[in-house]
Amino acid sequence: MTDVIPPSEENIEQPELAADAIKLSAQIDEEDLIIETRGLNKRYGKLHAVKDLNLQVPRGAIYGFVGPNGAGKTSTMRILTTLMRPSGGEAFIDGYSVIHNPRDVRRSIGYMPDFFGVYEDMKVWEYLDFFAACYEIPESQRHGLINDLLELVDLSHRRDDMVDKLSRGMKQRLCLARTLAHDPSVLILDEPASGLDPRARVEIRELLIELAKMGKTIFFSSHILADVSEICTHIGIIEAGEMVMQGPIKELRRQLNPHKIIVISLLDKVEEAKTAILQLPDVEAVTDLAPEDGKKRLRVEFKGEDAGVSQLLAALTTKGIPIVNFAEETSDLEQVFMKVTKGIVS
Amino acid sequence: MATRLNRLYNPLYILIRNPVALKELRGRMRGPRAFMVMTGYLLIVGFFTTFIYLAATSDSLSNTGEIDGGEVGRILFSSVVAIELFLVVFITPAFTASAISGEHEHQTYDLLRTTLLPESSLVWGKLFSALAYIILLLLAAIPMQSIAFLFGGVDLPEIYISFVILMCTAVFLGSLGIYFSSTTRSTLRANILTYITAMAVALISALIIVVLVGINNSYTATTNTSVVTRAGEWILLIPRGLFICLNPLATLLVTRDFLINQQSVFTIEYAFQDGTSVTLLSPWLVFSFIYLTMAGIILWRTVHILKRIQE
Ligand SMILES: Nc1ncnc2c1ncn2[C@@H]1O[C@H](COP(=O)(O)OP(=O)(O)OP(=O)(O)O)[C@@H](O)[C@H]1O
Ligand SMILES: [Mg+2]
C-alpha cells in the first residue's frame, strides 16, 4: 500500500489546467453574453441578499463566481435556474428571460445545487435514465447517452451499482453527468468542489476544463479563490450581495496588482540596505519582516518593471550587502481576494 | 407497427412513459419492503376472513341448525371488502403523502424542477405509481373474496362494484395525500393532515347519515299518514342520499342491499310511502362521480401549487 498517504494539494497540482484556461480564453468573444443580469435584486424580508447585480458571462467562459459565505451566490444561481423569482431586475440565459421563458431557460442549463440528494433505491444507470427521460430524451437514445455520460465522468464501472453506495466524489460526478443529459449550453454549478478531497477536487476541475473544451459555458461558485483562479477564464467577486469586480482573470490580476513585492534575506547591514533601497526610483516602501533562521528579512514594495528589479539587486551587491536570498513574491489571487473584500465583510 | 399499436393501447406503457411513475415503481418494487407490505396486507385480510368465516358459520348453525350458504357468503364478502377498504384508507395516504415533501426532504426537488418535466407529469406519476401498487394489493386479495362464491349469495357485479368503490376511494385519498404533500415540507405533517381529513370525511358523513336516517324513520313512522308527503320525503331523501354517497362504507352497504333486492346494477327504485316510486342512479355511480371529481379538483390545485415559483 503506497497510496495511504493522502496526496497534498501541491503534489497533484496540474499546471496544464491553467494553460488550457488561457487557451480557452483566447477564443472568447467578450461581447457575446450567454448569462446576463441587469440590476438583479433579491430580498428575503428585510435582508437584501443580492443588490443590483449585473452579471456578464461570455459564451464559452469558465466563470468563477467567488464570495464568502452568505454573499448571495446561491441566491443568484437559484434565480438563474428559474427556481426563485427575483425581487427586481432581469436575468437572461442564452437570450431567454428566466421569468418569462423558464422552459427555454431550463432547456439551456444544467444545474448542480450546493446540496443535493440522490434517490436511494436506484442504480446509477437508472438515475441517469430517469433524468434523461425528464429532459424528454427519447427512449431509443438514452442507452447510448447514458454510456457516454458515464464514460465522461469515469463511472462506467459503477453502472449497475446502487446510487447511495457511491462515494461523495462519485455522487458529485454522477450529478454532473446528470446536468449534461440534455446537452445544455450552460452549466450552473453551485460549489461543485465543496466537501471533496484534494484528488476529487482536481478531478472535478479537469472535468470542467474538459466540458469547456466541448464548448460549454461554465458558471460555478466557490469561496476558495485558489480553486477558481487555476481554471477560470473569468471571475466575478461578490460580497454582501454586491459585485465587487468582474472580468477576464488576466485583467483583474493586472488591475489589482500594480505592485511587486520583493523579499530580501540578508545576514547583516540591515539599516544600510534600507537606505540604499529607498534611494532607488519606483520603491514605495521598505518594511522589516520577522527574521527567519537567524537571517534578517526586508519586504520591498516596488512598482517598476523587471529592469528596475535587477537594478535594485545590482545596487545592493555593489554596496557589499550580504544577500542570501532575493525573491519576488508571487501574489496569488487569494491575496487579491483578501484585499478586495477587506472591510466589507463584518 | 404491431409494437406501435401495442404501445398505444397498453396502459402499462403509458405508465412507463411517465418517468416519475417508472422511477417510483422501480423503487417500490425493489427490495423486501414491497414484499413485506403485500404479505402483511394478505395476512390481515386472511386473518379476518377466517375469523368471520368461523363466526358466521357457527352463528347460522346455532340459529337454524343448518348453514344458510347465501347469508354466510354475503357476510364473508362484505367483511373482506370492509377490511380492504380499511387498509386502502390506511395505506394510500402513506404511499402518497411523501410524494412532494419527500423530494424536498431528500433534496431532489430542485433537480427535478430544473428539468423539463411538467408539474402535471410529476403529480400523475406519483399518483399512478401509488394506485398501481394498490391495484396489485386488491387483486391479490381476490382469492379470499372468492371464498364467498363457494357459499353463493354473491354475484360478479358486486365484485366489480366493490373494486370500483375501493379504487375511487384510493384515487381520492391519493390525490389528497399528494396535495398535502405539496402544501407542507414535512412528510409527517402531510401524512397526519391526510389521515385527519380522511377520518373527518368518513366519521362526519357517517354521523350525519345516522341522524338523517333517524329523522326519516320517525317521519315516515308517524301514524298520521296525511303528514307524510312525497315532497317531505324528497327533502329528506336528497341530503341523506348525498351523504351516503360521500361515505365509501355506506355506499358499499346501500349499493349491496339494492343489488340483492332489486338485481339492478346501475339504477335503483326508491319507494315512497304513498306507493309510488322513483328511479335513481345507484349510489356507487354517484359516489364514484363525486370522489373522482373531488380528486380532479384536488389534483388541479396541486399542479397549480407546484407551478408557483419561490418568492
Ligand atoms: N430562503 C431564504 N430565506 C431567508 N434568507 C435567506 C434564504 N436563502 C438565503 N438567505 C440569506 O441570504 C443571504 C445570501 O445567501 P446565499 O445562500 O445566497 O449565500 P451564498 O453566497 O450562497 O453563501 P454560501 O457560500 O454559504 O453558500 C444569506 O445571508 C442567507 O442567510
Ligand atoms: Mg451557497
Side-chain angles (χ1 to χ4, degrees):
Chain A
M1 293 295 281
T2 51
D3 55 0
V4 284
I5 304 158
S8 80
E9 189 92 38
E10 281 81 358
N11 60 32
I12 46 171
E13 206 74 359
Q14 308 260 318
E16 63 267 32
L17 287 187
D20 276 329
I22 292 165
K23 237 182 275 163
L24 277 168
S25 55
Q27 301 160 359
I28 293 169
D29 171 8
E30 298 291 334
E31 302 296 311
D32 180 14
L33 299 179
I34 195 162
I35 303 179
E36 188 180 13
T37 71
R38 297 186 199 135
L40 197 69
N41 273 282
K42 182 69 206 174
R43 287 189 185 82
Y44 300 104
K46 275 188 189 151
L47 184 90
H48 203 163
V50 177
K51 300 170 192 160
D52 289 324
L53 196 75
N54 296 313
L55 196 64
Q56 299 190 322
V57 182
R59 191 180 298 275
I62 305 181
Y63 188 109
F65 192 37
V66 190
N69 289 123
K73 305 182 294 290
T74 300
S75 302
T76 307
M77 287 183 155
R78 288 180 63 82
I79 292 171
L80 292 177
T81 50
T82 73
L83 290 170
M84 191 164 74
R85 226 184 268 284
S87 316
E90 293 175 285
F92 299 92
I93 305 243
D94 216 353
Y96 298 114
S97 156
V98 297
I99 303 163
H100 301 111
N101 315 92
R103 246 184 111 71
D104 294 308
V105 169
R106 286 172 193 174
R107 213 185 292 278
S108 308
I109 58 167
Y111 171 54
M112 182 156 104
D114 44 356
F115 300 106
F116 61 89
V118 289
Y119 296 109
E120 284 149 23
D121 37 25
M122 259 187 164
K123 292 180 178 170
V124 166
W125 76 266
E126 288 171 346
Y127 182 80
L128 291 177
D129 185 67
F130 169 61
F131 281 103
C134 289
Y135 278 115
E136 300 178 345
I137 291 160
E139 213 181 327
S140 55
Q141 293 171 21
R142 278 186 236 151
H143 182 76
L145 174 73
I146 290 168
N147 288 345
D148 291 348
L149 289 175
L150 287 175
E151 181 100 11
L152 184 71
V153 300
D154 196 18
L155 283 175
S156 301
H157 58 298
R158 307 299 296 258
R159 193 177 184 280
D160 290 310
D161 287 358
M162 299 304 278
V163 172
D164 60 341
K165 297 284 182 301
L166 298 182
S167 73
R168 169 99 206 230
M170 287 176 178
K171 280 181 191 161
Q172 210 96 352
R173 297 211 303 271
L174 179 63
C175 192
L176 201 54
R178 183 198 67 83
T179 64
L180 296 165
H182 55 305
D183 196 21
S185 42
V186 187
L187 297 183
I188 298 181
L189 314 173
D190 203 348
E191 307 205 10
S194 73
L196 299 182
D197 68 26
R199 184 175 295 279
R201 277 163 123 91
V202 170
E203 279 167 5
I204 289 274
R205 271 187 258 170
E206 282 173 338
L207 207 50
L208 295 187
I209 289 274
E210 189 73 22
L211 293 169
K213 282 185 188 162
M214 287 161 60
K216 307 213 176 292
T217 306
I218 295 166
F219 178 69
F220 76 104
S221 72
S222 173
H223 40 247
I224 306 168
L225 201 79
D227 266 9
V228 170
S229 61
E230 241 182 86
I231 62 163
C232 279
T233 62
H234 289 69
I235 262 184
I237 297 178
I238 185 176
E239 171 74 52
E242 280 174 289
M243 189 69 97
V244 182
M245 55 190 347
Q246 73 172 327
I249 198 161
K250 287 177 295 186
E251 218 152 276
L252 293 188
R253 273 217 177 91
R254 205 162 39 230
Q255 265 180 34
L256 280 163
N257 230 5
H259 297 263
K260 283 186 167 66
I261 305 290
I262 299 162
V263 175
I264 305 168
S265 307
L266 25 88
L267 292 172
D268 205 0
K269 298 194 182 173
V270 178
E271 289 311 313
E272 219 173 302
K274 265 188 181 173
T275 38
I277 292 166
L278 279 170
Q279 280 162 7
L280 290 166
D282 292 335
V283 171
E284 298 248 294
V286 181
T287 44
D288 287 300
L289 291 178
E292 215 175 61
D293 299 334
K295 288 168 237 161
K296 318 219 162 57
R297 296 193 309 151
L298 287 176
R299 181 175 183 276
V300 183
E301 274 180 52
F302 185 76
K303 64 175 202 277
E305 294 299 314
D306 283 348
V309 179
S310 78
Q311 272 174 22
L312 196 150
L313 182 58
L316 292 176
T317 40
T318 47
K319 288 219 161 64
I321 291 164
I323 295 174
V324 270
N325 196 3
F326 184 94
E328 187 181 328
E329 207 170 70
T330 52
S331 65
D332 59 6
L333 272 163
E334 202 61 44
Q335 287 174 315
V336 172
F337 187 53
M338 296 313 289
K339 204 187 267 170
V340 168
T341 61
K342 187 170 55 193
I344 308 178
V345 88
S346 52
Chain B
M1 191 60 208
T3 54
R4 264 190 86 145
L5 273 181
N6 196 17
R7 283 178 177 192
L8 275 179
Y9 293 111
N10 189 344
L12 244 170
Y13 184 76
I14 293 167
L15 205 66
I16 285 168
R17 274 284 299 275
N18 182 311
V20 177
L22 178 62
K23 165 191 116 49
E24 294 286 309
L25 282 176
R26 258 184 195 152
R28 185 162 286 141
M29 292 307 171
R30 181 166 282 150
R33 206 183 48 188
F35 176 76
M36 273 154 49
V37 171
M38 173 75 83
T39 310
Y41 168 83
L42 288 177
L43 279 178
I44 293 174
V45 177
F47 172 79
F48 278 101
T49 311
T50 316
F51 180 76
I52 287 156
Y53 167 79
L54 292 175
T57 44
S58 63
D59 230 28
S60 307
L61 269 174
S62 61
N63 280 350
T64 59
E66 213 171 300
I67 296 178
D68 176 356
E71 189 54 32
V72 172
R74 275 196 288 276
I75 290 174
L76 256 181
F77 180 77
S78 307
S79 310
V80 173
V81 172
I83 295 160
E84 283 181 325
L85 179 66
F86 179 77
L87 290 174
V88 163
V89 170
F90 193 70
I91 291 172
T92 317
F95 275 2
T96 51
S98 64
I100 310 296
S101 52
E103 299 278 348
H104 280 296
E105 284 166 346
H106 284 104
Q107 295 184 311
T108 46
Y109 187 69
D110 287 348
L111 300 181
L112 269 186
R113 275 312 301 279
T114 49
T115 68
L116 298 174
L117 185 79
E119 291 79 4
S120 54
S121 296
L122 174 59
V123 169
W124 279 120
K126 292 281 181 181
L127 184 65
F128 274 143
S129 57
L131 292 180
Y133 190 70
I134 286 165
I135 290 177
L136 201 65
L137 290 182
L138 294 182
L139 291 182
I142 279 187
M144 289 195 230
Q145 282 185 355
S146 47
I147 294 175
F149 280 105
L150 299 177
F151 296 91
V154 181
D155 285 330
L156 262 162
E158 264 188 82
I159 302 230
Y160 300 147
I161 290 171
S162 61
F163 185 77
V164 169
I165 291 175
L166 288 172
M167 278 317 292
C168 287
T169 310
V171 170
F172 170 66
L173 289 179
S175 308
L176 204 63
I178 297 176
Y179 170 76
F180 282 124
S181 189
S182 71
T183 58
T184 164
R185 286 285 168 98
S186 143
T187 296
L188 182 67
R189 201 172 318 145
N191 256 307
I192 292 171
L193 287 171
T194 313
Y195 282 127
I196 288 178
T197 313
M199 288 306 142
V201 170
L203 293 182
I204 292 174
S205 61
L207 205 72
I208 293 177
I209 291 166
V210 169
V211 171
L212 288 177
V213 167
I215 293 175
N216 189 62
N217 284 351
S218 54
Y219 178 66
T220 51
T222 31
T223 40
N224 187 353
T225 43
S226 64
V227 176
V228 183
T229 61
R230 258 185 77 133
E233 279 191 75
W234 265 113
I235 288 169
L236 287 170
L237 173 64
I238 290 170
R240 191 166 80 249
L242 273 179
F243 276 101
I244 285 172
C245 295
L246 273 180
N247 186 304
L249 193 61
T251 304
L252 271 168
L253 294 174
V254 173
T255 304
R256 193 192 75 136
D257 283 350
F258 278 107
L259 259 181
I260 292 168
N261 297 329
Q262 300 182 352
Q263 317 289 321
S264 162
V265 176
F266 298 105
T267 56
I268 60 170
E269 292 292 320
Y270 184 82
F272 292 107
Q273 290 298 101
D274 61 4
T276 60
S277 70
V278 62
T279 307
L280 300 170
L281 281 176
S282 186
W284 72 273
L285 279 175
V286 183
F287 168 87
S288 306
F289 176 77
I290 292 176
Y291 265 49
L292 292 181
T293 308
M294 288 198 296
I297 294 169
I298 291 169
L299 292 175
W300 178 78
R301 274 303 301 163
T302 310
V303 171
H304 201 71
I305 288 170
L306 292 183
K307 278 192 174 158
R308 270 192 225 147
I309 295 174
Q310 186 195 337
E311 287 294 337

